[in-house]
Structure formats: structure tokens, C-alpha cells
């Protein structure tokens, strides 16, 4: 008998140590949700169009690029202004030290920016009214759009350093 009592005592001790408890009175559960809102976002950067030294015997070409990062599936449009020194919607570079940027100043170099190396009118980059916008959809990663600048041949500007400032705007 002593042995049987010992077995029951050991069995009861093992059940207690194992956490066996058959006396739960009731159970209750709670459901909850987790959530997060992701807003569309875009950022844009650019590399300069540097034409180097102008050669009037041929059209001069420069390349640059726009770098865009937008959240996945975010539709966007990239437009450009006409440059800081535009005249009648044409981009113009003026001598850096020149303060006269009026239409009567002969010291400028006209140029055009394209988003295709074919230099077709249909690929002139602009604001949608004069020139076309670049359109795309975000991937969540950086996307690069090459730009091509062109200065026509047979221009004979005053020797100097010419410059302009283009503003690229991304709308999404």
C-alpha cells in the first residue's frame, strides 16, 4: 500500500510540475488589428548638361540625366521650366557675368533639351504646353531618365562662359 501511495504521490507531483491543470473555469479571447498607412512619395535629382567647348561647325550635344525615386505604383510626370533666361519659350544660356538677360542682348546661346537622342520635335522636354512631360510609374527604386541637350551649328557668340538654370518638377 505504501508503494501505491508513493506512486500516486509521484504521479500527482509530475502532473503539477508539467502544469497540468484541469480546473480552468473559463476562457476569453480578444481580437485586434494592426495597420499602417503608406503615402505616395517621390524625390528627384539631376546631373548637369555640360556642352564643353562650343564648335560652330557642327551641332553640339551634351548628356545629363534625371534620377527619380517614387514609391511603388505611384504615377508621376516630370516637367521642366524654360530655363532661367528663356525668351518666347526658348531656352537660352547667357554669359555668366552678364546682368542683361533681355531679348535685346545678343550675347546668348539658344539650346534645346530632349529626352530622346533622336532630337525629334516630339521628344523636346518641357511643361506639357511647350514640349512634352516625361511620365512614369514608381518602382520603389531609383529610375534614370537620360537627357540630351543640343546647340545648333553656325552660331557665332562672343567668347565667354555661358550658363542657364533649368528647374525639373515632379508631380505625383
Amino acid at each position: 500500500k505504501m508503494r501505491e501511495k508513493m506512486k500516486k504521490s509521484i504521479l500527482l507531483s509530475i502532473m503539477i510540475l508539467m502544469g497540468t491543470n484541469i480546473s480552468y473555469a473559463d476562457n476569453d479571447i480578444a481580437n485586434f488589428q494592426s495597420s499602417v498607412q503608406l503615402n505616395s512619395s517621390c524625390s528627384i535629382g539631376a546631373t548637369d548638361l555640360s556642352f564643353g567647348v562650343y564648335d560652330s561647325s557642327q551641332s553640339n550635344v551634351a548628356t545629363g540625366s534625371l534620377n527619380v525615386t517614387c514609391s511603388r505604383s505611384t504615377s508621376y510626370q516630370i516637367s521642366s521650366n524654360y530655363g532661367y533666361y528663356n525668351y518666347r519659350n526658348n531656352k537660352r544660356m547667357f554669359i555668366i557675368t552678364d546682368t542683361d538677360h533681355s531679348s535685346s542682348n545678343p550675347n546668348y546661346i539658344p539650346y534645346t533639351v530632349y529626352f530622346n537622342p533622336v532630337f525629334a520635335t516630339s521628344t523636346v522636354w518641357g511643361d506639357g504646353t511647350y514640349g512634352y512631360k516625361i511620365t512614369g510609374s514608381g518602382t520603389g527604386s531609383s529610375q534614370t531618365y537620360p537627357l540630351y541637350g543640343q546647340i545648333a551649328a553656325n552660331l557665332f557668340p562672343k567668347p565667354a562662359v555661358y550658363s542657364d538654370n533649368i528647374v525639373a518638377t515632379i508631380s505625383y
Side-chain angles (χ1 to χ4, degrees):
K1 248 185 170 195
M2 182 69 149
R3 200 177 195 148
E4 213 172 293
K5 243 183 170 177
M6 185 74 109
K7 279 184 185 179
K8 284 183 181 180
S9 182
I10 290 173
L11 186 57
L12 184 59
S13 295
I14 290 172
M15 287 174 66
I16 290 170
L17 287 174
M18 291 178 60
T20 304
N21 186 351
I22 54 174
S23 64
Y24 288 121
D26 206 354
N27 288 323
D28 195 9
I29 62 170
N31 290 318
F32 64 96
Q33 295 180 347
S34 59
S35 65
V36 66
Q37 179 176 330
L38 297 176
N39 293 326
S40 295
S41 65
C42 289
S43 62
I44 188 169
T47 60
D48 293 340
L49 288 173
S50 178
F51 289 94
V53 178
Y54 178 71
D55 178 358
S56 63
S57 68
Q58 61 188 4
S59 67
N60 289 234
V61 175
T63 58
S65 64
L66 298 172
N67 301 300
V68 174
T69 303
C70 289
S71 49
R72 246 179 47 151
S73 301
T74 300
S75 296
Y76 58 84
Q77 295 182 332
I78 309 167
S79 59
S80 80
N81 68 346
Y82 304 113
Y84 188 70
Y85 306 120
N86 75 80
Y87 176 69
R88 294 188 180 154
N89 305 319
N90 295 307
K91 290 176 174 53
R92 303 187 313 167
M93 290 183 273
F94 276 92
I95 296 173
I96 290 178
T97 56
D98 202 340
T99 56
D100 177 10
H101 303 133
S102 69
S103 60
S104 61
N105 183 344
N107 296 318
Y108 69 89
I109 298 176
Y111 70 104
T112 306
V113 179
Y114 302 85
F115 54 87
N116 188 308
V118 176
F119 302 115
T121 304
S122 62
T123 64
V124 173
W125 183 41
D127 68 351
T129 301
Y130 299 99
Y132 295 88
K133 294 180 181 181
I134 298 170
T135 60
S137 181
T139 63
S141 299
S142 180
Q143 296 172 280
T144 301
Y145 293 93
L147 295 176
Y148 307 90
Q150 184 178 43
I151 300 172
N154 299 315
L155 300 176
F156 301 98
K158 175 180 172 181
V161 177
Y162 292 74
S163 181
D164 190 15
N165 186 43
I166 301 170
V167 177
T169 302
I170 188 162
S171 302
Y172 57 97

